Amino acid sequence: MTKLISIITPAHNAEHFLAQCLTSVADQTYTDWEHILIDDCSSDGSATLINQYVSKDPRIKYHRLSENSGAGVARNTAIKMAKGAYIAFLDSDDMWHPEKLSKQLAFMQRNGYYFSFTSYGTINDVGIPTDKVFRAKKVVTYNSALYKNPIGCLTVMYDVAYFGKQYMPTIRKRQDYALWLTLLKKTNGYGLDEVLATYRLGNESISSNKLDLIKYEWSIYRDVEGLSWFKSAFYLLSAIILKMKTYF
């Protein structure tokens, strides 16, 4: 059964990568989608590029924020606009494989899953594939996710009928991780271990400064999840160790 999927993409000065992102959505074998792009006050040619695609495909929606507000606000704005039965996320410098939506939706519907994600590969900042592949775990629970975010934002899809529209906290970074924790309080997340997306490494996006992310992860444990100081310190240290093992 086909159902509308709303694809959420924040964009800020993403002119160099946006065409690849937009094309990867246009090339999906599953065609019942809307692609909502929120321009977070770009100063480059992002708006012109997006509007070129909008003029060719009515499934693509464009909205510009009145002030630079960060990826969390941009994604939440798109979620408010979304009309789909499912919500999926794709950042402006990443890409999907052509069968991403069709295979993931079938995986969810076949198994009765409400929150899913997939494996994904990586490219460097000039688009050359690397040997780094992030494999999707079969099942992720709330407790297991506290140790380290095991879910790639570019691979997530959630069922709006089950969850309602769920939004991200408006912190500048790690807001996607906070949303996954919210979803995981209601149901487990289920991974499709097939590489269906491509993540761009080594660019100047908001995720590139790993050290700066630590304070935001601490804020999620303490302020968003309300964990004790001891538990927050324990999970933060665990996350740092596990991430070091992943990247080195």
Side-chain angles (χ1 to χ4, degrees):
M1 179 188 302
T2 63
K3 289 190 175 182
L4 181 66
I5 299 173
S6 296
I7 304 159
I8 307 303
T9 298
H12 177 68
N13 291 341
E15 178 183 12
H16 294 303
F17 307 119
L18 258 173
Q20 292 172 291
C21 170
L22 285 157
T23 299
S24 78
V25 174
D27 288 345
Q28 290 297 299
T29 58
Y30 186 88
T31 58
D32 192 7
W33 51 259
E34 61 173 0
H35 192 182
I36 306 172
L37 295 108
I38 305 299
D39 184 355
D40 194 14
C41 291
S42 297
S43 57
D44 64 357
S46 294
T48 300
L49 179 60
I50 295 170
N51 280 313
Q52 289 174 356
Y53 280 81
V54 169
S55 67
K56 297 174 184 177
D57 192 332
R59 295 174 298 176
I60 302 173
K61 319 293 183 184
Y62 172 74
H63 176 80
R64 181 180 173 88
L65 298 179
S66 59
E67 60 182 10
N68 180 260
S69 305
V73 172
R75 290 188 184 117
N76 286 347
T77 300
I79 292 170
K80 288 177 184 176
M81 294 171 59
K83 299 177 181 178
Y86 294 86
I87 286 177
F89 298 92
L90 177 63
D91 282 355
S92 58
D93 50 0
D94 299 330
M95 294 170 286
W96 284 345
H97 293 203
E99 294 186 328
K100 195 267 187 187
L101 289 180
S102 60
K103 288 187 174 182
Q104 189 170 6
L105 181 60
F107 172 69
M108 294 178 72
Q109 292 182 333
R110 181 172 64 249
N111 294 289
Y113 296 153
Y114 304 109
F115 174 28
S116 75
F117 49 94
T118 79
S119 301
Y120 59 98
T122 58
I123 56 176
N124 65 17
D125 58 346
V126 294
I128 299 173
T130 78
D131 59 2
K132 178 72 69 176
V133 175
F134 293 86
R135 311 299 325 190
K137 295 180 179 294
K138 186 175 181 180
V139 182
V140 172
T141 67
Y142 174 79
N143 287 333
S144 68
L146 285 172
Y147 286 92
K148 174 182 176 290
N149 178 17
I151 299 170
C153 184
L154 72 163
T155 74
V156 163
M157 188 186 300
Y158 76 79
D159 186 325
V160 175
Y162 180 78
F163 289 106
K165 286 189 176 181
Q166 296 291 328
Y167 298 92
M168 299 184 178
T170 55
I171 54 178
R172 279 277 178 172
K173 303 179 185 180
R174 305 300 281 159
Q175 65 282 141
D176 55 341
Y177 177 38
L179 176 56
W180 313 157
L181 291 174
T182 296
L183 300 180
L184 289 169
K185 290 174 183 175
K186 191 168 183 181
T187 184
N188 294 337
Y190 295 92
L192 174 58
D193 188 11
E194 185 172 348
V195 175
L196 295 174
T198 302
Y199 176 80
R200 192 180 301 272
L201 299 167
N203 59 73
E204 296 304 316
S205 70
I206 198 167
S207 63
S208 61
N209 188 340
K210 303 301 180 185
L211 291 176
D212 195 37
L213 295 179
I214 291 175
K215 68 178 183 180
Y216 289 95
E217 197 139 341
W218 174 260
S219 177
I220 288 172
Y221 292 137
R222 288 288 284 153
D223 303 328
V224 179
E225 296 304 303
L227 301 181
S228 68
W229 189 96
F230 177 81
K231 283 187 176 181
S232 298
F234 171 77
Y235 285 122
L236 181 61
L237 181 60
S238 298
I240 292 171
I241 293 172
L242 289 169
K243 285 172 185 173
M244 289 177 66
K245 289 182 178 179
T246 299
Y247 284 94
F248 296 102

